[in-house]
Amino acid sequence: MLKHVLLTGASGFLGSHLARAFLGEGIGVTALVRTHSSLDRLAGIKGHPLLTVLYAEQADWPQVFLTNTFDAVIHTATAYGRLGETAAEMAAVNTELPSKLWDLAGRHAVTVFINTDTFMPANTSMVDRYYNYCRTKKAFLEYAKQKTYPSTKFANLVVYHMYGPN
C-alpha cells in the first residue's frame, strides 16, 4: 500500500490528476514543480495536509530523500520544446532530473519508479520538431536500463495522447 509518493510534473495535466487521486486515497504527495510553473491545476488541493509542494530548482535532493520515505517516485515532468525550451533545458527535465531521481530512489530502496515515456520513436529525424524531446526522453530510458537497483522496480509507462474532459 502506498503511503507517500514523489510526483514530478505535478502542475501538469497528468501530474495534477494523479496528485488529486493520491490525496483522495489518503496517500501523501510531495509534488515537484518548476518555479515558473502555474499552480492553477492544483487549485483546490493546495494546502491539503498530505501535500507538500517542492520547487525543482531549489531542491536539495539528498536531503529530500533523507527526510522522507517514498514508496514510489512517479516521473511525469516533461519538456516538449513547445514553450521554446532549448535542447539543454529539455535534457535537464527529460534526462538529468529523472536520472538523479532514479539513482536516489535506488539508493534509498524506494519500491517503484514509474517513468512516463513517449510513444514517439527514438529514431525521430533531426528535422522533426520533436527530435530533442524524443532524444532526451529515450536517453533517460537507456540510462535506467543500464543502471539497475535490485530493491527498486522500474516501470516505463508509454503515454499516448491524452484528451477529453479531465
Side-chain angles (χ1 to χ4, degrees), residues 4-8 30-32 54 61 64-65 70 72-74 101:
H4 191 188
V5 300
L6 172 62
L7 175 64
T8 74
T30 296
L32 184 70
L54 183 63
W61 290 112
V64 168
F65 277 80
F70 298 115
V73 174
I74 303 170
L101 295 177

Side-chain angles (χ1 to χ4, degrees), residues 24-164:
E25 293 293 321
I27 299 167
V29 176
T30 296
L32 184 70
V33 298
R34 288 173 263 185
T35 53
H36 68 274
S37 296
S38 167
L39 301 182
D40 291 349
R41 288 190 174 119
L42 298 177
I45 61 171
K46 285 190 276 187
H48 190 289
L50 295 176
L51 176 68
T52 301
V53 175
L54 183 63
Y55 291 95
E57 299 86 348
Q58 300 164 357
D60 177 349
W61 290 112
Q63 190 62 30
V64 168
F65 277 80
L66 284 172
T67 57
N68 292 280
T69 300
F70 298 115
D71 300 298
V73 174
I74 303 170
H75 177 60
T76 72
T78 299
Y80 297 96
R82 294 187 303 218
L83 302 176
E85 299 99 331
T86 65
E89 290 168 327
M90 283 188 265
V93 175
N94 299 339
T95 307
E96 296 162 21
L97 172 65
S99 296
K100 186 181 307 179
L101 295 177
W102 171 236
D103 289 338
L104 285 162
R107 281 189 248 139
H108 290 271
V110 173
T111 304
V112 65
F113 186 106
I114 300 172
N115 178 56
T116 55
D117 193 6
T118 179
F119 70 92
M120 297 175 79
N123 64 349
T124 299
S125 166
M126 286 182 72
V127 296
D128 190 297
R129 68 183 180 143
Y130 291 111
Y131 169 75
N132 285 320
Y133 163 68
C134 294
R135 183 180 58 80
T136 57
K137 292 295 280 184
K138 299 305 181 186
F140 167 63
L141 186 57
E142 285 306 311
Y143 178 82
K145 285 179 183 177
Q146 298 301 315
K147 193 162 188 182
T148 61
Y149 294 97
S151 59
T152 304
K153 292 180 182 171
F154 183 86
N156 192 54
L157 178 66
V158 177
V159 178
Y160 286 76
H161 300 290
M162 291 181 278
Y163 59 92

